[in-house]
Each structure stands twice: as C-alpha cells, then as structure tokens.
Amino acid sequence: MINDLCSLTTDHCSLTTKIMEIYTSRKKNIFLLFLSLLFLAAGIYFVLHGEEIATGKRSPLLVQGIGIAAIAFALLALFFTIKNLFNKRWVLRANPEGLYLRIRNELFIPWQEITGFEVFEVRGSKSVLIMLKDPQAYIAKEKSPLLRKMMQWNLRLCGTSVSISSSTMQISHKELLALLIEYWNKYKK
C-alpha cells in the first residue's frame, strides 16, 4: 500500500507537504513463499534421491551437494519471506528532507546527497540505483559486516552503494522510479 500522509505529530511534515510510504506486497510475498517451498522440496528430493538422479558421469555426491545448497538457499528465502509477510511497517518512505529505506535498519538519505537514479536489470529483475555524491560514506555507516560487503560489491558493480528492488513492494518498478524522481526533483534544492 502506498500512503500519502501528513500528520501534525510528525517532525518532518507540515500541512502543505506529503510523506510517501510504501509497504511490502502480501501477494508478492505469498508467491515468493510458494517458490521457496518448491525450491526446498526440490532440494530435499535431490538429497534423498541423489543416486537415482545421477546418471552417467554425474556423481551422486554432486547432485546431493546441489540439493543441500538448494535447501540452504530455500531456508534463507523462507526466513526473509515470512519476516516480510508479518512486517506491517513501511519499507520505503519519502518526505521533503529525504528518503528513508528500511533494509535492516533504517537508512536516511537526504535529497541533496542524491545525484540521480538509474535502472539496473539482471535477468528481468530490475532495481533502482540511487546514485550518491559519496557512496563510501553510506558504506562506512553500515554496522553489519555482511551488509557492508554487499554495499561494496554493489558499488563496484553498479557505481553506487544503495539500490532498491520493488519485487516485494506494493508498487511496480516504473511507479517506484517515477515517484522517486518526482520527489527528488521537488526537494533536491
């Protein structure tokens, strides 16, 4: 759900400005839950029937190893998907001061720190890249070593440390990009 809010109790809002909040999509997360369960079932099948599946030159251990990797990936995906299903809080928020992302912790990016937006596509899955004046500063702020490493990898690959995927949001990729550009053009000063 996308909410345009304005509340007297909010520090970042006056009666003439709007706050945009975007939440996770229940339908998209249920679909991802189904896919994760299918992947888990396939992984279990590979582990239990590795010798039957392995024919010719394929090793049963290789098939079972692929099954174990599939199980690990599916369990990780299940964890995050179930977490998202029960998440009632916004995942992206924009107001006149800047952009808030709730990845793990809340990340605030002032509009003045953003130089633009680009689209990055991998096998049909699109992400919005938030081009920053100083992407290294946002990497340095991150406390989690894993997220910090992912941000460094993102910087090397895409030229920025922060990106957003609308794959689990209640908004399409095109709508997300249009809203971000609209807010940025209005408030970048």
Side-chain angles (χ1 to χ4, degrees), residues 103-119:
I103 301 166
R104 194 190 101 206
N105 296 320
E106 194 172 296
L107 173 67
F108 172 68
I109 306 170
W111 294 117
Q112 295 79 13
E113 291 295 314
I114 298 172
T115 60
F117 300 95
E118 293 182 17
V119 176

Side-chain angles (χ1 to χ4, degrees), residues 1 13 22 32-33 46 56-57 62 64 70 76 78 84 94-95 98 106 115-116 118 122-125 183 187-188:
M1 176 187 283
C13 186
I22 301 174
L32 288 175
L33 180 67
F46 274 43
K57 295 181 181 180
L62 175 65
Q64 290 172 330
L76 187 65
L78 278 170
N84 272 343
N95 67 21
E106 194 172 296
T115 60
E118 293 182 17
V122 176
R123 294 187 178 178
S125 179
Y183 269 72
Y187 298 116
K188 65 183 173 183

Side-chain angles (χ1 to χ4, degrees), residues 16-34:
T16 58
T17 61
K18 291 192 178 206
I19 296 174
M20 172 186 62
E21 292 179 341
I22 301 174
Y23 295 82
T24 59
S25 167
R26 193 163 186 78
K27 286 180 184 178
K28 289 179 181 180
N29 279 307
I30 288 172
F31 178 70
L32 288 175
L33 180 67
F34 175 73

